[in-house]
């Protein structure tokens, strides 16, 4: 497994949010499963994923597939007690950092619960407002 993917995998499983930022390209693009917008920038994406990591429970990776620049990490988790499965679709840049990151999840009900939980968390995080311009 690519060292960046392994480090991301380990940081997510141990809920080590400080381990995420060094894995991201400065201009990383993150496409969440909850709406049709894109977060851009390593600090904004790290903040978003830090909140997501706090919301997900019983998180496990089921499969990791990939080679070179393109990777897929299949996961299972719970959100507010609801089961979900999803995939992280990751593209690395020439420096081996995460450049593109898209998450696809199902079922719809759990994705809705994730969106509601995220909105509640970021509303209580005064520092998160600094990242509003990072969403396009």
């Amino acid at each position: 497994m690519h060292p960046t993917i392994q480090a991301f995998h380990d940081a997510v499983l141990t809920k080590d949010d400080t381990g995420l930022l060094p894995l991201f390209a400065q201009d990383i693009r993150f496409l969440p499963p909850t709406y049709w917008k894109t977060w851009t920038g390593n600090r904004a994406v790290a903040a978003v994923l830090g909140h997501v990591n706090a919301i997900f429970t019983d998180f496990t990776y089921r499969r990791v597939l990939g080679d070179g620049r393109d990777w897929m990490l299949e996961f299972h988790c719970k959100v507010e007690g609801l089961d979900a499965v999803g995939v992280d679709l990751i593209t690395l840049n020439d420096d081996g950092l995460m450049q593109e990151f898209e998450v696809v999840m199902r079922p719809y009900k759990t994705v809705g619960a994730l969106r509601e939980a995220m909105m509640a968390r970021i509303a209580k995080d005064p520092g998160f407002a600094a990242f509003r311009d990072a969403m396009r």
Side-chain angles (χ1 to χ4, degrees):
M1 188 177 335
H2 190 282
T4 298
I5 299 301
Q6 184 67 59
F8 178 76
H9 179 277
D10 296 346
V12 169
L13 290 178
T14 61
K15 296 192 177 278
D16 176 16
D17 298 338
T18 61
L20 298 177
L21 188 62
L23 305 175
F24 300 154
Q26 189 168 2
D27 59 345
I28 186 174
R29 293 173 20 95
F30 174 68
L31 293 84
T34 51
Y35 46 84
W36 195 257
K37 297 232 181 203
T38 302
W39 289 92
T40 304
N42 59 353
R43 294 196 183 283
V45 172
V48 169
L49 292 180
H51 283 295
V52 170
N53 209 13
I55 292 168
F56 284 172
T57 59
D58 300 331
F59 188 93
T60 58
Y61 282 113
R62 299 186 339 180
R63 289 188 288 175
V64 177
L65 305 169
D67 189 27
R69 299 176 102 173
D70 296 309
W71 292 86
M72 184 207 72
L73 290 71
E74 179 186 13
F75 63 87
H76 176 267
C77 68
K78 289 187 183 284
V79 176
E80 304 289 323
L82 300 170
D83 286 307
V85 294
V87 292
D88 295 333
L89 302 170
I90 299 168
T91 300
L92 304 176
N93 66 14
D94 290 338
D95 295 325
L97 298 175
M98 297 169 72
Q99 185 68 57
E100 300 280 334
F101 187 139
E102 182 173 3
V103 178
V104 181
M105 277 178 61
R106 68 178 188 90
Y108 178 77
K109 183 175 183 177
T110 306
V111 174
L114 173 60
R115 183 178 178 148
E116 289 178 24
M118 279 294 291
M119 297 304 285
R121 280 189 64 86
I122 64 174
K124 295 175 186 171
D125 179 357
F128 199 82
F131 301 119
R132 288 203 188 279
D133 291 340
M135 188 172 60
R136 299 176 205 321

